[in-house]
Every structure is written in C-alpha cells, then in structure tokens.
Amino acid sequence: MTTRTPAASPAEIAFPALGTTAALLVTDPQALPTAEVVLRAELAAVDRTCSRFRPDSELTRVNLSTGTPVTVGALFAEAVEAALHAARLTDGAVDPTVGRAVAAVGYDRTFASLAPDDARPLPVARPAPGWQRIVWNPRTRRLRLPPDTHLDLGATAKAHTADRAARHIAEVTGTGVLVNLGGDLTVAGPVPDGGWRIALADDHAGPAADHGPAVAVTGGALATSGVRVRTWRRAGRTLHHIIDPATGEPAVPVWRTVSVAAATCVDANAVGTAAIVLGDRAVDWLRRIALPVRLVGLDGHVQCLGGWPPDPPEAAGGAR
C-alpha cells in the first residue's frame, strides 16, 4: 500500500502499527491527543481480532475451527462482512479464503520476520476454496469455514479500521481527520482549505518527490495497492503478497501500483487489489466499476480512468 500523507498539516502524528505505519492528521491541533487515543484503541482491537500472526487472535481461533460453526465477536463480524462485501464487489478477485495460499508462498509470519531469500521449495499451488462456500449468519454471528480453509483478512481489515477510526475520531472530537494505515486512507469531518493533499508513490514510507503526482481529497477514501514493497524471494522466485484466488499464487505483475478513490477505504482497497489480480483484464473491469483510478504499469506508464485527473507533465518522473 503506497499512498503517502502530506508532509505538512495542522497537527499530525505517525507511529508503527499493524506491520506498517499509522499516520493521523487533524485540523484542530488541540484534538490530536484524544484522536490518537481513539486511533490506538481501534488498532489494538483489530490486531487482537484479525491478526494472522497472533496465536491469541480471534482469527487464529476461527482458522483452527475450520469446518465447525463458531460464534464470533462484534468486531470480527464487521471484518467478515467487509471481506464478503469486497469479494462480491470484485467478483471474487479479492477472496478471504486465500489464507492457506498466503502462508504457502512464505508469508506465514510478520513481514519484518520474513527471510529475504528463502531456498525452500514452493509447495504446489492450489486455488482458493472460494468465498461462496463460507457459511455466515450476520444476525447470530455464526460462521463456518469450509474444511481445510483459512481466512486471510489482509485485503480488508486494515482498510475497514481506517474507515472506523476516522469516523469515530470525527464523532468524538468534531475535528477534521485523516487516517492513513500504510496507504489505506480515510478522511472524515471538516477538511482543510483545498482538501487534504496526498502524494502518490510506490512506497508510502519513502521520501516524497518535490514534483511527484498528488491529489486533493475532500471526502471518502483513497487506497493504493502495489507489488513493489512487500516482496521476498523463495526458491529463486520473487514473490509478493497479493494472491490470485484462481491460482493460489501471487498475481502475475502487470501493474506496479493501482490507486483508487471511493466512498470507503474498504471499497477503494478492494478495487485496487482486484486490479492487481486481474492484470491485463483490469482496465475493462475498472471501466465498468466507474471509480476514479490511476494505474502505473511496470514500465512507469500511467493510465487514469473514471475521472482521475491526469498527472501534470512535471510529475511524470515522480510516477516512476
């Protein structure tokens, strides 16, 4: 995820969270301490609930109960709803049943703990079981996964947390707020004059280019998916974290990054991730989705769809 928050703001703070960087900006500097408390609480809750890497998380408990109905908590239920919504929105290109495939390619621990070059052979890839096989009752919060299936909520849980946190902070403080969780970005409340200026880059944590591409966000959400940052090597292959459910392998790289604007961060991130998975088929699908989208090919060529403004000529170098 590679959307960067602006370098200058009325008040801001950034800190490590969820294996990435959490950035919080508010229009009223006096509201920053309260806003930070709310954001940290939301982050702690989603980590306890949806982390693949905590043995005590609710997701771990659910994955250990595969094939057996379980009752889940309210926050986990929201995460399941978000994941199933993303699957429907993307015609299954984003599928939460890729959990075993993600672990099989080597992403079975936090990214910081991954060996950058692993000589172990890759197991035979298998398609994801399929989100349609999940049995879910939102009224009773009863969930049953197909046998031998593990959920992975990485494509939606962080984005859902950005949506929740921004909305909650605006409600509690009355200030304008921007929450950016490693490139999953949501704004709520009053916006600064001219909107929140967002720089775009391959790596949200890298230095901002002076004349790189940027957009102004006045509402909703923005997310960028990419294949350049979370990569590692195994068995002589360079791998990344976005799995194609149809194959169980990392999606064939066609787009370096895909940025999407939408009403919610869940929608923006789901559409961007789906575009990475769809590869050459993404453009026609995105035209039907009709959201503002900016795609950057592996060669740096930029394509804008759905009303996304074209990059100014001086920003061409920043997109590469």
Side-chain angles (χ1 to χ4, degrees), residues 107-204:
Y107 198 4
D108 56 355
R109 63 206 70 188
T110 63
F111 188 76
S113 302
L114 284 180
D117 199 342
D118 189 339
R120 291 178 300 164
L122 284 164
V124 176
R126 292 181 175 82
W131 65 277
Q132 300 96 329
R133 297 180 61 200
I134 295 173
V135 179
W136 168 240
N137 186 326
R139 184 180 61 81
T140 61
R141 303 204 304 264
R142 292 284 283 176
L143 172 69
R144 182 171 63 81
L145 301 181
D148 202 34
T149 298
H150 282 182
L151 285 185
D152 176 67
L153 302 175
T156 50
K158 184 156 57 68
H160 179 58
T161 302
D163 287 332
R164 274 179 54 100
R167 183 174 63 249
H168 192 186
I169 291 167
E171 290 171 351
V172 169
T173 66
T175 189
V177 58
L178 181 153
V179 172
N180 183 359
L181 304 181
D184 289 344
L185 180 156
T186 305
V187 304
V191 299
D193 291 342
W196 297 100
R197 185 179 181 276
I198 309 300
L200 304 173
D202 281 359
D203 184 357
H204 76 277

Side-chain angles (χ1 to χ4, degrees), residues 190-238:
V191 299
D193 291 342
W196 297 100
R197 185 179 181 276
I198 309 300
L200 304 173
D202 281 359
D203 184 357
H204 76 277
D210 290 339
H211 301 291
V215 293
V217 176
T218 58
L222 183 68
T224 301
S225 299
V227 298
R228 284 291 183 89
V229 178
R230 296 208 168 198
T231 64
W232 63 97
R233 288 183 62 79
R234 181 166 174 181
R237 289 179 56 188
T238 298

Side-chain angles (χ1 to χ4, degrees), residues 9-286:
S9 66
E12 64 180 298
I13 190 171
F15 51 88
L18 305 182
T20 184
T21 302
L24 169 65
L25 297 90
V26 292
T27 54
D28 178 3
Q30 293 185 342
L32 185 60
T34 299
E36 181 185 352
V37 169
V38 174
L39 176 58
R40 287 186 181 273
E42 291 282 357
L43 292 168
V46 75
D47 189 51
R48 288 193 306 269
T49 303
C50 298
S51 173
R52 288 195 297 120
F53 311 119
R54 289 181 55 153
D56 61 343
S57 75
E58 189 164 11
L59 177 61
T60 297
R61 176 176 70 87
V62 167
N63 283 340
L64 289 174
S65 303
T66 180
T68 302
V70 293
T71 301
V72 302
L75 184 56
F76 195 89
E78 287 187 24
V80 170
E81 289 283 343
L84 295 178
H85 167 75
R88 288 189 293 268
L89 176 65
T90 63
D91 301 320
V94 176
D95 188 322
T97 66
V98 296
R100 286 196 178 275
V102 172
V105 298
Y107 198 4
D108 56 355
R109 63 206 70 188
T110 63
F111 188 76
S113 302
L114 284 180
D117 199 342
D118 189 339
R120 291 178 300 164
L122 284 164
V124 176
R126 292 181 175 82
W131 65 277
Q132 300 96 329
R133 297 180 61 200
I134 295 173
V135 179
W136 168 240
N137 186 326
R139 184 180 61 81
T140 61
R141 303 204 304 264
R142 292 284 283 176
L143 172 69
R144 182 171 63 81
L145 301 181
D148 202 34
T149 298
H150 282 182
L151 285 185
D152 176 67
L153 302 175
T156 50
K158 184 156 57 68
H160 179 58
T161 302
D163 287 332
R164 274 179 54 100
R167 183 174 63 249
H168 192 186
I169 291 167
E171 290 171 351
V172 169
T173 66
T175 189
V177 58
L178 181 153
V179 172
N180 183 359
L181 304 181
D184 289 344
L185 180 156
T186 305
V187 304
V191 299
D193 291 342
W196 297 100
R197 185 179 181 276
I198 309 300
L200 304 173
D202 281 359
D203 184 357
H204 76 277
D210 290 339
H211 301 291
V215 293
V217 176
T218 58
L222 183 68
T224 301
S225 299
V227 298
R228 284 291 183 89
V229 178
R230 296 208 168 198
T231 64
W232 63 97
R233 288 183 62 79
R234 181 166 174 181
R237 289 179 56 188
T238 298
L239 305 171
H240 61 82
H241 69 294
I242 298 179
I243 298 294
D244 181 349
T247 65
E249 293 194 316
V252 176
V254 172
W255 308 108
R256 197 164 79 190
T257 60
V258 181
S259 301
V260 182
T264 69
C265 201
V266 169
D267 284 0
N269 190 52
V271 170
T273 302
I276 296 289
V277 170
L278 293 171
D280 290 325
R281 297 170 290 151
V283 171
D284 288 341
W285 180 77
L286 289 168

